[in-house]
Amino acid sequence: MQTQILSYRTVTSLFIYYVQKNKICSTNEMKRQNQSSVVEFILLGFSNFPELQEQLFGVFLVVYLVTLMGNAIIIFIIYLEQSLHVPMYLFLQNLSVVEVSFSAVIMPEMLVVLSTEKTSISFVSCFAQMYFILSFGGTECFLLGAMAYDRFAAICHPLSYPMIMNKSVFIKLVMFSWVSGIMVATVQTSWVFSFPFCGPSEINHISCETPAVLELVCADTFLFEIYAFTGTILIIVTPFLLILLSYIRILFAILNMPSTAGRQKAFSTCASHLTSVTLFYGTASMTYLQPKSGYSPETKKLMSLSYSLLTPLLNPVIYSLRNSEMKRALMKLWRRKVDLHVI
């Protein structure tokens, strides 16, 4: 009798285990099916303002073309003019490459969304867009920090500047900026797209930026959010604070200059640089450091536009086209071209 009871309990336990296992397997299978069913996302963009689609398309197209043209001019002027092959302008050249690339990642897709009814973006395209946004954004953060250090060394330590910022140091700073951006993008993008996406698939943003895509994840993202917050502090806030400290030292050095004209020129340059830096770092920090419910979707879109659209547009003016040496190099190349045509 006791053996029969034990057998009955064993069979019952096995049956319960089998049912629970099948239930878990069924749940996992449903999750996999739901995850695999989301094969593309929908970029909402500015769909809340359908009457402004044509006007926005025109404005963004002009801004995009001007951004490409302005940064391309800087890249080629510095490449062609040997006198500009010094760290200050080579940093600017790298920054312009980043700005052109950053705009090219976001703007064409946004223009397509504004001009047609096609608002879908595939999983692979969304992954690639997020990867390059993070890569170029991270690279720009470190490049701006390196540029501030270069200006600090040039203004505060002019006699030892050639030793401080020699060719080897310059190459290391540029390589560190690019490699760091790539590493950040690789880790973060891979982590985000390892999460399951069970629907909905609508991204209420202008691009596949991390915070917007993360809202669609149907899993616990607590560890990732800790990593993302820590990474943002290291990648955005830390370089920004170092830039501010560098410019504070620069301003003190400017105040000790004997020439009034020299002080005014240096103040103007610092103010322009700080305007661009604050615009980029400030809006990027508000985007990546905010809580999930921190801002409305429209506010998030405007902040994203400020560092993905306005900063690449303004940088040619702020950093280079107001620079007398850049303007002289441009006029020199123009006269050379005119003389060749005359001959």
Side-chain angles (χ1 to χ4, degrees):
M1 182 68 179
Q2 188 176 2
T3 305
Q4 290 178 349
I5 292 172
L6 288 173
S7 299
Y8 175 78
R9 287 178 180 175
T10 304
V11 171
T12 305
S13 300
L14 289 172
F15 177 76
I16 293 171
Y17 171 78
Y18 179 79
V19 170
Q20 289 178 341
K21 183 178 179 181
N22 280 345
K23 186 177 179 181
I24 292 170
C25 291
S26 299
T27 303
N28 291 336
E29 184 65 27
M30 288 176 65
K31 285 183 178 180
R32 283 195 294 269
Q33 289 175 357
N34 286 334
Q35 182 179 354
S36 62
S37 66
V38 182
V39 295
E40 63 181 13
F41 295 103
I42 306 297
L43 280 175
L44 296 183
F46 297 97
S47 57
N48 292 338
F49 308 98
E51 69 281 359
L52 297 177
Q53 298 289 302
E54 291 184 4
Q55 292 88 333
L56 289 173
F57 174 83
V59 171
F60 291 153
L61 178 61
V62 171
V63 169
Y64 181 49
L65 293 176
V66 172
T67 299
L68 292 182
M69 184 172 65
N71 284 285
I73 288 172
I74 292 170
I75 293 169
F76 285 111
I77 287 176
I78 296 173
Y79 174 75
L80 294 172
E81 184 56 44
Q82 291 292 325
S83 63
L84 298 180
H85 289 185
V86 294
M88 175 183 174
Y89 295 104
L90 293 175
F91 277 127
L92 289 174
Q93 187 181 45
N94 275 271
L95 183 65
S96 292
V97 171
V98 171
E99 300 292 20
V100 168
S101 305
F102 202 15
S103 298
V105 170
I106 296 176
M107 292 303 297
E109 185 68 35
M110 188 163 62
L111 291 172
V112 170
V113 171
L114 288 171
S115 61
T116 65
E117 295 182 358
K118 180 186 177 297
T119 60
S120 61
I121 181 170
S122 68
F123 236 82
V124 174
S125 298
C126 192
F127 179 96
Q129 190 178 57
M130 181 186 292
Y131 178 85
F132 287 116
I133 287 173
L134 291 170
S135 178
F136 295 129
T139 301
E140 181 163 355
C141 287
F142 292 114
L143 271 177
L144 289 172
M147 291 169 68
Y149 173 71
D150 174 67
R151 290 299 83 207
F152 161 75
I155 295 174
C156 298
H157 304 283
L159 297 179
S160 56
Y161 174 73
M163 296 177 61
I164 296 173
M165 189 57 66
N166 55 45
K167 184 177 180 181
S168 175
V169 173
F170 165 76
I171 292 174
K172 288 177 182 177
L173 287 173
V174 171
M175 291 298 295
F176 173 80
S177 299
W178 282 98
V179 171
S180 298
I182 292 170
M183 289 176 62
V184 168
T186 302
V187 173
Q188 189 158 321
T189 308
S190 302
W191 197 344
V192 169
F193 280 88
S194 69
F195 289 120
F197 294 90
C198 309
S201 60
E202 292 182 345
I203 300 175
N204 194 7
H205 202 59
I206 62 173
S207 61
C208 289
E209 288 202 65
T210 305
V213 175
L214 208 61
E215 292 179 0
L216 306 181
V217 170
C218 53
D220 184 14
T221 60
F222 179 71
L223 287 177
F224 175 82
E225 289 174 18
I226 293 176
Y227 155 78
F229 183 84
T230 306
T232 302
I233 294 292
L234 294 174
I235 297 165
I236 298 180
V237 178
T238 304
F240 179 63
L241 292 177
L242 292 175
I243 290 170
L244 286 181
L245 290 174
S246 297
Y247 273 112
I248 289 172
R249 292 286 303 275
I250 289 170
L251 289 174
F252 278 114
I254 292 172
L255 291 173
N256 293 324
M257 288 182 178
S259 170
T260 303
R263 285 199 301 270
Q264 289 177 347
K265 182 179 178 181
F267 270 124
S268 175
T269 303
C270 288
S272 299
H273 289 190
L274 282 175
T275 300
S276 176
V277 167
T278 303
L279 179 66
F280 177 80
Y281 279 104
T283 52
S285 298
M286 286 188 289
T287 298
Y288 285 91
L289 284 175
Q290 63 173 330
K292 286 188 176 181
S293 58
Y295 303 100
S296 66
E298 286 71 27
T299 304
K300 294 176 185 177
K301 293 173 190 177
L302 290 176
M303 288 192 297
S304 180
L305 281 176
S306 65
Y307 63 80
S308 63
L309 190 69
L310 288 181
T311 305
L313 174 67
L314 294 176
N315 270 344
V317 178
I318 290 175
Y319 280 98
S320 301
L321 299 184
R322 289 182 59 187
N323 184 286
S324 57
E325 291 186 34
M326 286 289 295
K327 288 189 285 189
R328 278 198 296 270
L330 179 60
M331 292 304 298
K332 182 179 177 181
L333 292 172
W334 177 259
R335 290 196 200 98
R336 190 185 303 170
K337 182 179 178 181
V338 171
D339 291 341
L340 288 174
H341 279 290
V342 170
I343 294 173

